[in-house]
Amino acid sequence: MAKPIVSYKDVHKSFGDVKVLTGIDLDIQPAEKVAVIGPSGSGKTTIIRMLMTLEEPTSGDIIVDGENLWKMEKSGKMVRANEKHLREVRGDIGMVFQHFNLFPHMTILENCMTALTNVKKVDKETAKKDSIDMLEKVGLGDHVEKYPQQLSGGQKQRVAMARALVMKPKVMLFDEVTSALDPELVGEVLEVIRDIAKEGEMAMVLVTHEMDFALDIADKVLFLDGGVIAEQGTPQEVIENPENERLQDFLHRFNR
Ligand SMILES: Nc1ncnc2c1ncn2[C@@H]1O[C@H](COP(=O)(O)OP(=O)(O)OP(=O)(O)O)[C@@H](O)[C@H]1O
Ligand SMILES: [Mg+2]
């Protein structure tokens, strides 16, 4: 098997006395599409926030493309990573959030360009061209000069996606990106994710309650429960033929 693009090795995470994750071991292969399901509070968001460097593991290692994300070598010892190390290793990771997190005072185009020019130091002309191309790809070519408040929720979420994609991450994280949307807007956002998934080369981790969608695009589904990955396998194994009793109960809530 190819070298994983991301590995979690015995990762634990507590908030104060509350142990949220108690030993996560997970390999994500380049181009693999991983869906994460599980009850509210099971730690789905926490798993991907640690990879985005928004939350520090309590113990264990997260390896991105061969580099330890949260630790670095200093005088022959592994020590806590500094900001520079985190920024460098995180450069391969992109994330789309439930609540878009667009900058309200910037146009759609500026929202897309800002990380390219400020973080990646891409020149303005190239950043503009790449951003327009990406906005066209998510169906927003006619809206580049608008501001976020002039768009629908589904359009805003597609801007958030274009903004993350234009950075060309090797791994894209999606945290319930359709759950804040009106039902009639969910389809257009899932359609864009499906298109990106079909293109191939990027690994994707999707926290989702859309079971049909997970069945359609995921190579692997993880069921998170009780602080661990309680079951994992192909979508057919996990969603259509679940063995774990708590997983069966969980899926019943989605009429499965
Ligand atoms: N910054 C934080 N401080 C304290 N507790 C936190 C923090 N972030 C998450 N938690 C707690 O950790 C647990 C897991 O949270 P997390 O958001 O990862 O769950 P989730 O599976 O994404 O849930 P949901 O489906 O509701 O989004 C919850 O009990 C939550 O209250
Ligand atoms: Mg969550």
Side-chain angles (χ1 to χ4, degrees), residues 44-46 98 175-176 207:
K44 304 180 297 294
T45 295
T46 303
Q98 189 175 359
D175 190 7
E176 296 196 42
V207 176

PDB file of all heavy atoms in Angstrom, residues 44-46 98 175-176 207, ligand 2:
ATOM      1  N   LYS A  44     -16.017  13.953  16.456  1.00  0.00           N
ATOM      2  CA  LYS A  44     -15.778  14.018  15.009  1.00  0.00           C
ATOM      3  C   LYS A  44     -15.068  15.326  14.636  1.00  0.00           C
ATOM      4  O   LYS A  44     -14.072  15.327  13.910  1.00  0.00           O
ATOM      5  CB  LYS A  44     -17.110  13.921  14.239  1.00  0.00           C
ATOM      6  CG  LYS A  44     -17.935  12.683  14.567  1.00  0.00           C
ATOM      7  CD  LYS A  44     -19.230  12.625  13.782  1.00  0.00           C
ATOM      8  CE  LYS A  44     -20.200  13.758  14.078  1.00  0.00           C
ATOM      9  NZ  LYS A  44     -20.736  13.749  15.458  1.00  0.00           N
ATOM     10  N   THR A  45     -15.601  16.435  15.135  1.00  0.00           N
ATOM     11  CA  THR A  45     -14.989  17.730  14.838  1.00  0.00           C
ATOM     12  C   THR A  45     -13.588  17.800  15.449  1.00  0.00           C
ATOM     13  O   THR A  45     -12.646  18.297  14.813  1.00  0.00           O
ATOM     14  CB  THR A  45     -15.884  18.861  15.392  1.00  0.00           C
ATOM     15  OG1 THR A  45     -17.119  18.845  14.673  1.00  0.00           O
ATOM     16  CG2 THR A  45     -15.234  20.219  15.231  1.00  0.00           C
ATOM     17  N   THR A  46     -13.445  17.289  16.647  1.00  0.00           N
ATOM     18  CA  THR A  46     -12.145  17.348  17.332  1.00  0.00           C
ATOM     19  C   THR A  46     -11.077  16.617  16.522  1.00  0.00           C
ATOM     20  O   THR A  46      -9.945  17.108  16.390  1.00  0.00           O
ATOM     21  CB  THR A  46     -12.272  16.742  18.740  1.00  0.00           C
ATOM     22  OG1 THR A  46     -13.298  17.463  19.446  1.00  0.00           O
ATOM     23  CG2 THR A  46     -10.964  16.841  19.508  1.00  0.00           C
ATOM     24  N   GLN A  98     -18.682  24.326   9.055  1.00  0.00           N
ATOM     25  CA  GLN A  98     -20.144  24.333   9.006  1.00  0.00           C
ATOM     26  C   GLN A  98     -20.672  25.749   8.714  1.00  0.00           C
ATOM     27  O   GLN A  98     -21.602  25.924   7.947  1.00  0.00           O
ATOM     28  CB  GLN A  98     -20.650  23.846  10.363  1.00  0.00           C
ATOM     29  CG  GLN A  98     -22.119  23.596  10.428  1.00  0.00           C
ATOM     30  CD  GLN A  98     -22.518  23.005  11.781  1.00  0.00           C
ATOM     31  OE1 GLN A  98     -21.681  22.764  12.654  1.00  0.00           O
ATOM     32  NE2 GLN A  98     -23.791  22.792  11.951  1.00  0.00           N
ATOM     33  N   ASP A 175     -16.356  19.719   7.638  1.00  0.00           N
ATOM     34  CA  ASP A 175     -17.064  19.447   8.891  1.00  0.00           C
ATOM     35  C   ASP A 175     -18.546  19.778   8.750  1.00  0.00           C
ATOM     36  O   ASP A 175     -18.949  20.925   8.923  1.00  0.00           O
ATOM     37  CB  ASP A 175     -16.454  20.250  10.036  1.00  0.00           C
ATOM     38  CG  ASP A 175     -17.000  19.805  11.390  1.00  0.00           C
ATOM     39  OD1 ASP A 175     -17.739  18.798  11.443  1.00  0.00           O
ATOM     40  OD2 ASP A 175     -16.691  20.469  12.388  1.00  0.00           O
ATOM     41  N   GLU A 176     -19.344  18.792   8.460  1.00  0.00           N
ATOM     42  CA  GLU A 176     -20.799  18.956   8.336  1.00  0.00           C
ATOM     43  C   GLU A 176     -21.149  20.222   7.559  1.00  0.00           C
ATOM     44  O   GLU A 176     -21.919  21.055   8.022  1.00  0.00           O
ATOM     45  CB  GLU A 176     -21.435  19.010   9.723  1.00  0.00           C
ATOM     46  CG  GLU A 176     -21.260  17.710  10.476  1.00  0.00           C
ATOM     47  CD  GLU A 176     -22.198  17.596  11.661  1.00  0.00           C
ATOM     48  OE1 GLU A 176     -23.380  17.971  11.495  1.00  0.00           O
ATOM     49  OE2 GLU A 176     -21.773  17.129  12.713  1.00  0.00           O
ATOM     50  N   VAL A 207     -16.854  14.850   7.668  1.00  0.00           N
ATOM     51  CA  VAL A 207     -17.783  14.575   8.752  1.00  0.00           C
ATOM     52  C   VAL A 207     -19.169  14.865   8.200  1.00  0.00           C
ATOM     53  O   VAL A 207     -19.417  15.966   7.703  1.00  0.00           O
ATOM     54  CB  VAL A 207     -17.508  15.490   9.965  1.00  0.00           C
ATOM     55  CG1 VAL A 207     -18.556  15.263  11.049  1.00  0.00           C
ATOM     56  CG2 VAL A 207     -16.105  15.258  10.504  1.00  0.00           C
TER      57      VAL A 207
HETATM   58 MG    MG B   2     -18.970  18.458  15.172  1.00  0.00          MG
END
